[in-house]
Amino acid sequence: MKPASFDYVVPRTVAEAVQALAGPGRTAQVLAGGQSLILEMHLQRIRPRLVVDINRIPELDGMRVDGDGLRVGALVRHAAFERADAVPGPLGTLLSRAVVNIAHPPIRSRGTMAGSFGWAHPASEWCAIGVALDATVEVTGPDGERALPARDYFLGPHRTARRPQELITAVRLPLLGGHTGVGFVEHRRTHFCFAQVAVAAALTVHDGVISDVRIGLVNSADRPVRARAAEQTLLGTEIGPLPTGRRLPDGHPFARAGRVAAQEDAAPVAEPYADAEYKRQAVAVLVGRTLREAATDLGSRLAVRQGDPR
Ligand SMILES: Cc1cc2nc3c(=O)[nH]c(=O)nc-3n(C[C@H](O)[C@H](O)[C@H](O)COP(=O)(O)OP(=O)(O)OC[C@H]3O[C@@H](n4cnc5c(N)ncnc54)[C@H](O)[C@@H]3O)c2cc1C
């Protein structure tokens, strides 16, 4: 199928883009990487009257460390995160482990992190990481700038708190401190499919005790989920040595957190190849595995810091 006819503008500044989006009687769409939008337009599931191509707005490009956070401009492509050292510390590791699960290289070379927040697909890796880490979505509209906390931003599949006339200018993620280890584990049918379920975790440990933990669930509800009930079971827990077998013992705190995430945090929506019960079980297993990966990551970081060549 071909897209329905539409007008096309290429603004050079954020102000021009916002002016175009706010034009009277328009149903406008922003064209960033186009990796979701163009497909939807071809299928005529989206029929915008106007497409606002933001690819020629230099102020939207680039990312920078800004205080205790990383500000990712709206034109930064997924591929920018493939190298762990593109972003300092454990956040760089987390983003690099997650990004290889997003589609395949050509899509990652065009699609943008901000576009994923704009599209708000429940299976988006970035959106679950954003919710888990308390990211902020920066938008500019006719009434000025707003910073929307990711926890209030997602309202359902492809539904967000962003107003149609507002442009996402950046996504802001907190940098993670030195006592934090990270993990990301995904389950999907084939290499190119969206996740059936995936989990992101950031585990902070001081003096052997878990002092902070963030768990994000991908495609485990109609929107990205922070697994707060599971997190609560872990706070204040002594981490102890990790079990050696592939399977976590049922009584291990990470296994328990997985069961709590599956029962209390996830609200899975059935899909053709994964019913809700299957997804719930996947959440239970993957949360445990991801926490173990995060604890292992933290162990390596601390060993390197102490001069252990491991
Ligand atoms: C085969 C295939 C597999 C994929 N697999 C995955 C996957 O596993 N995980 C995953 O997360 N994604 C996946 N994607 C989607 C891909 O990551 C997209 O790049 C992403 O969803 C949207 O980013 P984009 O920059 O391409 O946005 P676009 O396609 O340009 O836009 C998407 C939507 O977001 C809005 N938008 C974009 N930028 C802004 C902005 N700055 N301000 C306001 N609104 C904006 C647009 O109006 C539009 O509604 C896949 C896509 C394909 C085709």
Side-chain angles (χ1 to χ4, degrees), residues 29-39 46 54 74 78 101-104 107 110-112 114-116 118-119 123-126 162 166-169 186 192-195:
Q29 287 283 332
V30 174
L31 176 69
Q35 300 304 301
S36 297
L37 179 64
I38 299 295
L39 175 67
I46 297 184
I54 60 170
H78 303 315
N101 295 285
I102 300 178
H104 44 75
I107 289 175
R110 292 301 303 167
T112 62
S116 293
W119 187 232
S124 158
E125 289 81 0
W126 291 150
R162 179 182 73 85
E166 286 176 325
L167 179 73
I168 300 172
T169 50
E186 177 155 319
F192 300 146
C193 291
F194 278 84

Side-chain angles (χ1 to χ4, degrees), residues 6 20 26-27 57 64 75 90 112 122-123 137-138 160 165 182 195 203 213-214 240 252 278 301 304 309:
F6 58 90
R26 292 274 175 81
T27 53
I57 304 180
R64 63 168 196 272
L75 285 177
T112 62
V137 183
E138 297 181 0
T160 72
Q165 310 90 335
V182 293
L203 186 69
V213 55
R214 307 301 183 102
H252 192 277
Y278 176 85
R301 274 173 212 288
V304 168

Side-chain angles (χ1 to χ4, degrees), residues 65-70 87-92 133 172-177 180:
V65 173
D66 176 7
D68 58 357
L70 175 76
V87 172
L91 180 62
L133 299 188
R172 198 168 190 284
L173 293 155
L175 292 173
L176 299 170
T180 301

